[in-house]
Amino acid sequence: MLNIILFGAPGCGKGTQAARLAEHYDLYHISTGEVIRSEIKRGTELGKSMEGYISRGELAPDSIVVEMVRDFMRTHNDKGAIFDGFPRTTAQAEIFDTMLAEIGAKVDVMVFMDVPEEELVRRILLRGKDSGRQDDSSEDVIRNRIEVYRQQTEVVADHYTKQGKYEAINGLGTMDEVFARLTEAIDSKR
Ligand code: AMP
């Protein structure tokens, strides 16, 4: 099993690279943001309760996000996965570690993709033109998401640094350059 957390601010390129890494290492890929967006699109009760958080650029409650991941792990527990956008708080990380331990698994590596703030905003606004994501279209919401990342999520790096599982890479450059840095960082921890 190989469990990889892709970590970084909104717009750092996690989604794009997660898909490539999942193919390269033959792993599952879960994006908690995607799971939430799909609930919203399907108009489920869970989706409806998530809409406000997403549109304001705030984090959804830990308990709900953790249950989404728990559900996913029930059916995807054989070869490992790329976790994209999760965990986003220390509470999520602690519960996640326990969840994995219960099935005899662990996080192998967290890789941080470092991208400067102005580049994050530029990339998200560009993405918003095609993705139609409402939280990608307003600069205020984007700045709030980055602020929420700094306030609540950045600290999760400490959790995995203490476990000796943290790696950082430069997230600027071509998709191929960033991918090469990611695989090098991941392979150093396998
Ligand atoms: P993303 O697609 O990863 O940018 O996530 C989009 C939005 O979904 C975030 O701004 C949050 O509102 C919500 N979200 C996604 N993942 C999480 C998480 N692990 N914890 C809390 N909220 C999340």
Side-chain angles (χ1 to χ4, degrees):
M1 250 205 170
L2 178 62
N3 290 302
I4 301 167
I5 298 173
L6 261 197
F7 191 67
C12 75
K14 293 191 293 292
T16 310
Q17 297 291 347
R20 286 186 71 176
L21 290 170
E23 197 181 327
H24 179 81
Y25 291 106
D26 185 26
L27 299 172
Y28 300 114
H29 168 207
I30 178 172
S31 149
T32 42
E34 279 298 328
V35 175
I36 296 171
R37 279 189 291 280
S38 127
E39 293 284 338
I40 292 175
K41 227 178 261 164
R42 283 165 35 227
T44 64
E45 286 306 312
L46 189 63
K48 282 180 197 149
S49 70
M50 297 286 98
E51 258 165 342
Y53 300 108
I54 291 240
S55 62
R56 291 189 296 269
E58 294 167 7
L59 292 185
D62 288 336
S63 56
I64 296 180
V65 178
V66 160
E67 282 316 302
M68 288 174 173
V69 175
R70 204 186 291 282
D71 262 358
F72 170 85
M73 293 304 295
R74 280 198 190 99
T75 46
H76 301 79
N77 54 14
D78 52 334
K79 56 186 186 184
I82 313 275
F83 295 86
D84 157 10
F86 177 89
R88 261 178 156 98
T89 63
T90 301
Q92 290 179 18
E94 284 168 355
I95 301 171
F96 186 42
D97 286 353
T98 309
M99 196 190 296
L100 289 175
E102 278 166 8
I103 58 166
K106 61 175 171 44
V107 169
D108 292 282
V109 54
M110 163 185 267
V111 197
F112 168 59
M113 299 170 64
D114 192 8
V115 173
E117 172 150 348
E118 285 319 305
E119 175 65 9
L120 297 171
V121 176
R122 194 188 70 79
R123 287 187 191 179
I124 298 178
L125 283 170
L126 202 66
R127 178 172 80 185
K129 288 188 183 143
D130 300 322
S131 73
R133 273 178 62 172
Q134 54 167 353
D135 62 341
D136 282 353
S137 312
S138 144
E139 185 158 343
D140 282 349
V141 173
I142 295 170
R143 298 240 179 234
N144 191 44
R145 284 161 64 201
I146 295 171
E147 186 56 27
V148 164
Y149 167 80
R150 305 248 180 264
Q151 298 288 333
Q152 302 181 52
T153 304
E154 215 162 41
V155 65
V156 181
D158 298 344
H159 180 86
Y160 290 101
T161 301
K162 280 183 204 144
Q163 299 183 7
K165 295 175 178 171
Y166 178 81
E167 288 284 325
I169 62 130
N170 174 5
L172 290 177
T174 65
M175 263 168 57
D176 288 345
E177 283 164 352
V178 175
F179 181 75
R181 290 178 205 136
L182 284 169
T183 51
E184 193 185 342
I186 291 164
D187 292 342
S188 77
K189 292 285 189 223
R190 292 182 77 186

